[in-house]
Amino acid sequence: MYVILLGPPGAGKGTQAVQTAERTGLLHLSTGDMFRENLRNGTELGNLAKTYMDQGELVPDDVTIRMLLERIGRDDARAGCLFDGFPRTVEQAKALDEALSEQGNEIAVTILIDVSNEEITRRLGGRVSCATCGSVFHEIFNPPNAGSPCCGTVKMIQRDDDKPEAIANRLQVYADQTEPLVDYYNQTGKLASVNGEQSSQAVGEDLLTALQAVSS
Ligand code: AP5
C-alpha cells in the first residue's frame, strides 16, 4: 500500500510517519530526511539541497524526483511506502503517479494533517532533535527527558530551517506550491483529512482509522 502524508511544515508528518510505520510495517520515506542524510555524508546532492533548505525553498523538482524514484525502485519499497514530505508540487505528484502506474501500483490514500499557521509557528520554534539518533522532540509539548536523556546524551540540536525567517518562507512556499495538491488528490477521490491539533496519540489513532478505511 502506498500512502502519502500531506500537510504544512511542522504539522507532525514526521512524528506520525515514524509511529505509523512501526504500527503498520510500511516503509517510511521522508525526502527531507534523505536530503539531511546526504548533507551529513557530504555528498554533492546534500550540499546542493542545503542551499535551498536553509532558505525554506523547495529543492528543484528534477533533483527531488530522481532521488525519490530511485529509492522506490529498490526491493524494500515493493510492498508499499509511507511518503512524508513528498510529493510537494503537482509535478512531483504526477511523476509519482506515473512511476507507480508503471509498476502496476497506485496511491491508496493521501492523508492531510490539518494544522493552523499559529500552531505551526509554535511547534517549529520549539523543535529539537537528538544529536545522535535524530529522534524529534519539542521543548514544551514533548520535552527530551532530562532524567534519562535520549541516547544517553543531553545534546539536542535545532534545524537551520527552524529559524523564524525560514519558517515564514516555508509556510508561504507550502501555500503556493504544495497546497494545490489538496485539490489534486481530492479530484481522485483519495483524500482523507485528520485534525492535527490534537495530542500526538489522538492524531495517530485517526490516521490508523483512515488507513483501515482504505485497506479493508
Ligand atoms: P522536511 O524535512 O520534509 O520538512 P517539512 O515538511 O517542512 O516538515 P517538518 O519536518 O518541518 O515537520 P513535520 O510535519 O514532519 O513535523 P514534526 O513531526 O517534525 O523538508 C525540509 C526541507 O527539505 C524543505 O523545506 C525543502 O527544502 C526540502 N525538501 C524536502 N522534501 C522535498 C520535496 N519533496 N521537494 C522539494 N524539496 C523538498 O513536528 C514538528 C514539531 O511539532 C516537533 O517538535 C514535534 O515534537 C511537535 N509535534 C508533532 N506533533 C505534535 C502534536 N500533535 N502536538 C504537539 N506537538 C507536536
Side-chain angles (χ1 to χ4, degrees):
M1 182 157 75
Y2 293 85
V3 175
I4 296 169
L5 291 187
L6 185 64
K13 301 182 296 296
T15 302
Q16 294 302 331
V18 169
Q19 294 171 14
T20 309
E22 274 170 15
R23 293 169 86 171
T24 60
L26 284 173
L27 177 71
H28 171 203
L29 285 187
S30 155
T31 39
D33 287 349
M34 290 161 82
F35 287 133
R36 283 184 288 275
E37 191 187 342
N38 270 279
L39 181 61
R40 276 194 300 276
N41 294 334
T43 69
E44 202 178 317
L45 172 62
N47 291 329
L48 171 80
K50 182 176 166 53
T51 59
Y52 295 93
M53 292 169 81
D54 283 355
Q55 309 300 317
E57 295 291 332
L58 295 184
V59 179
D61 278 341
D62 57 338
V63 175
T64 307
I65 290 169
R66 201 176 323 123
M67 175 181 76
L68 194 279
L69 296 193
E70 183 280 322
R71 184 64 190 87
I72 63 169
R74 294 194 216 160
D75 285 348
D76 61 350
R78 297 254 176 239
C81 305
L82 185 56
F83 296 108
D84 157 16
F86 186 94
R88 259 177 153 96
T89 64
V90 171
E91 192 172 333
Q92 291 180 14
K94 287 180 176 166
L96 180 61
D97 282 346
E98 222 171 274
L100 290 180
S101 144
E102 279 168 15
Q103 300 173 357
N105 291 315
E106 61 178 357
I107 296 297
V109 65
T110 296
I111 305 175
L112 172 68
I113 304 181
D114 206 9
V115 177
S116 66
N117 283 4
E118 293 72 24
E119 176 67 10
I120 283 162
T121 308
R122 266 197 298 274
R123 286 188 188 178
L124 294 184
R127 173 165 62 181
V128 288
S129 58
C130 172
T132 306
C133 72
S135 293
V136 176
F137 298 91
H138 189 280
E139 284 168 341
I140 296 163
F141 306 137
N142 177 25
N145 187 341
S148 62
C150 194
C151 295
T153 168
V154 286
K155 188 159 184 241
M156 291 283 148
I157 48 176
Q158 190 185 30
R159 275 172 41 174
D160 286 340
D161 59 351
D162 280 346
K163 305 215 162 86
E165 325 76 71
I167 292 174
N169 197 36
R170 284 161 71 198
L171 287 172
Q172 191 58 50
V173 167
Y174 177 79
D176 294 343
Q177 299 189 56
T178 307
E179 222 167 14
L181 291 178
V182 173
D183 272 348
Y184 180 89
Y185 288 112
N186 209 6
Q187 279 165 15
T188 66
K190 289 183 181 168
L191 184 77
S193 170
V194 299
N195 174 7
E197 294 196 25
Q198 317 174 71
S199 71
S200 185
Q201 197 186 354
V203 178
E205 292 305 323
D206 286 357
L207 269 173
L208 273 193
T209 304
L211 286 180
Q212 278 156 2
V214 292
S215 58
S216 56

